[in-house]
Amino acid sequence: MSVTICLSEQLARRRLSLVELSDRTGIAVRHLELLRDQKAVAVRLRTLESLCRALNCTPGELLVIKDEE
Amino acid sequence: MRFLGPRSISSLLKTALDVVYYGLFAMIVAVGIAALCLLSVPTLAAEVMARMKMVAQINGTQQAILMLAFGLSLSGYLLIMRWTRQVFRTLAEGDVFHPDNTLRLRWIGFGLAGVELYSYASRALAEAILRMPVEPVYGMRAVTAWFSVLVVFVLAEVFKEGARLRAEANLTI
């Protein structure tokens, strides 16, 4: 099992781009790309909080556990 | 006083290592030329020694072999210096946990072990073949050499862990 961050889905649902999310959160677009592409190995609580506030969602909606094949 | 980065102690040490590296390189070239001269003119050593009113215990060919063996040992030190310079270059740039430093430190460890083993082998051969009296290596001298090899390997692992943590920090958002 692995924890994945559903940033693409959340962005699509709110019709937001990475640049707009970057403007709202103050997180660099390069870092958001790492999160979107599942390349990040860890997420700070501060980052998670600003993402949740910007996307108006809960951490549970942003992070999901997927079964590895 | 800064220890890492530009204009620091590591930068000063890197310059010192550069001097030692090129000095060693010049020494190896000089020893190689001297050995070749002795091999091509075997009486050269005896003539030079006679002029200096000294007596040689071994003949010219044996002296050339000893010089070549010495040159080979210096080449080992040259390689160790090369890797050490590369490590210190990253330290002088402030890039301490550079991913390549782990491998460089491991090579330094292997190099130090190789030079030590080579010194044992060359001493044994000099004693057996050339009948030269060689002072045995014992006590702290022998222990220090192998401890320094182990310390370098431990440092290599420390740098590996540092590089891993740095990579992880880069991927922490």
Side-chain angles (χ1 to χ4, degrees):
Chain A
M1 287 201 296
S2 67
V3 175
T4 55
I5 185 156
C6 314
L7 196 60
S8 300
E9 289 91 330
Q10 295 293 335
L11 284 171
R13 198 173 293 166
R14 286 162 184 80
R15 296 173 191 279
L16 275 174
S17 68
L18 275 187
V19 178
E20 284 170 317
L21 185 62
S22 173
D23 287 341
R24 286 186 186 189
T25 56
I27 302 167
V29 175
R30 190 172 60 86
H31 288 158
L32 290 175
E33 281 172 348
L34 287 174
L35 286 172
R36 183 196 61 194
D37 301 339
Q38 314 297 330
K39 296 274 168 63
V41 294
V43 181
R44 290 190 185 92
L45 290 174
R46 199 170 53 232
T47 307
L48 190 62
E49 187 193 332
S50 54
L51 283 173
C52 287
R53 282 187 193 285
L55 295 167
N56 197 23
C57 65
T58 61
E61 289 173 276
L62 207 54
L63 302 170
V64 290
I65 295 176
K66 283 186 180 167
D67 288 326
E68 284 178 54
E69 289 171 10
Chain B
M1 189 169 59
R2 292 170 63 205
F3 285 92
L4 298 169
R7 290 185 293 280
S8 63
I9 300 290
S10 54
S11 175
L12 181 79
L13 285 172
K14 199 244 166 213
T15 311
L17 285 169
D18 284 349
V19 173
V20 173
Y21 179 78
Y22 289 110
L24 264 176
F25 192 79
M27 251 178 101
I28 290 167
V29 171
V31 168
I33 290 170
L36 283 177
C37 287
L38 278 171
L39 282 172
S40 51
V41 188
T43 56
L44 184 70
E47 284 170 23
V48 172
M49 295 287 249
R51 274 194 199 165
M52 293 168 77
K53 291 176 183 163
M54 288 166 81
V55 182
Q57 301 284 328
I58 51 176
N59 64 34
T61 314
Q62 286 174 330
Q63 283 180 351
I65 290 166
L66 276 180
M67 278 189 174
L68 285 174
F70 179 57
L72 203 63
S73 149
L74 287 181
S75 304
Y77 283 111
L78 190 79
L79 273 176
I80 292 167
M81 279 293 151
R82 186 168 174 266
W83 295 315
T84 313
R85 276 174 68 224
Q86 287 172 344
V87 170
F88 269 85
R89 192 176 60 214
T90 61
L91 300 187
E93 286 168 359
D95 188 9
V96 183
F97 294 119
H98 192 281
D100 293 344
N101 279 352
T102 305
L103 198 63
R104 284 169 188 155
L105 278 165
R106 276 193 196 142
W107 278 116
I108 292 170
F110 284 125
L112 285 171
V115 163
E116 194 62 17
L117 288 174
Y118 177 79
S119 82
Y120 295 157
S122 55
R123 277 162 188 268
L125 285 174
E127 214 165 13
I129 298 168
L130 303 176
R131 307 264 174 247
M132 285 178 71
V134 180
E135 201 178 319
V137 180
Y138 56 85
M140 283 304 288
R141 162 75 179 79
V143 173
T144 308
W146 289 108
F147 265 45
S148 58
V149 171
L150 291 177
V151 165
V152 170
F153 278 121
V154 170
L155 274 178
E157 287 307 303
V158 170
F159 272 72
K160 186 184 170 188
E161 187 63 14
R164 190 188 66 78
L165 287 173
R166 191 177 81 164
E168 207 171 281
N170 287 340
L171 290 174
T172 299
I173 316 297

